[in-house]
Amino acid sequence: MTLDQLRQIMPYAGQRAARYILPLTAAMAEFGIDTPLRQAAFLAQVAHESGSLRYVREIADGSAYEGRADLGNTEPGDGQRFKGRGLIQITGRANYRAASLALFGDEMLLLKHPQLLEEDVPACRSAAWFWWSRGLNTLADTGQFRTITRKINGGFNGYADRLASWERAKGVLA
């Protein structure tokens, strides 16, 4: 993927595209997001989740995640501490622990320093790792975009925007 292609896929990314092109490309290669179908689906989800590379930290304060055992948020303050971060908005103590182990070989690093997912390289790598760890490459290979959206979002929040980005990305990367 080139910088020009990334800008076409995420027309509202502006100068942020230049900032993220190298770490995003490296993260996609690292986690096997290496075909046009996989890249188009991944980048469409990233476009929506990050607001076209604008957000690496969820805007909401995270209180909605407080006490959510399904996210591993079992200690007071976990909702805010482990709110969405990275380009796919990794959320919850359990996901931070898994990402920490996978990306840094230390399950405690992100639990102690969750803000690391706001840095460019970890923001990209965590998104690609999450994608890979949920088997989304296989779903992308068969065009199951709705199922991908549910696995990332838990529902279909912003589905029309995600779908528009996917169609744009498929056209650009074809």
Side-chain angles (χ1 to χ4, degrees), residues 138-166:
T138 302
L139 295 175
D141 291 343
T142 56
Q144 296 182 57
F145 194 72
R146 189 168 172 82
T147 303
I148 290 169
T149 299
R150 187 173 44 243
K151 287 187 175 279
I152 288 175
N153 179 254
F156 300 103
N157 182 10
Y159 187 70
D161 179 59
R162 294 170 199 266
L163 194 56
S165 293
W166 185 45

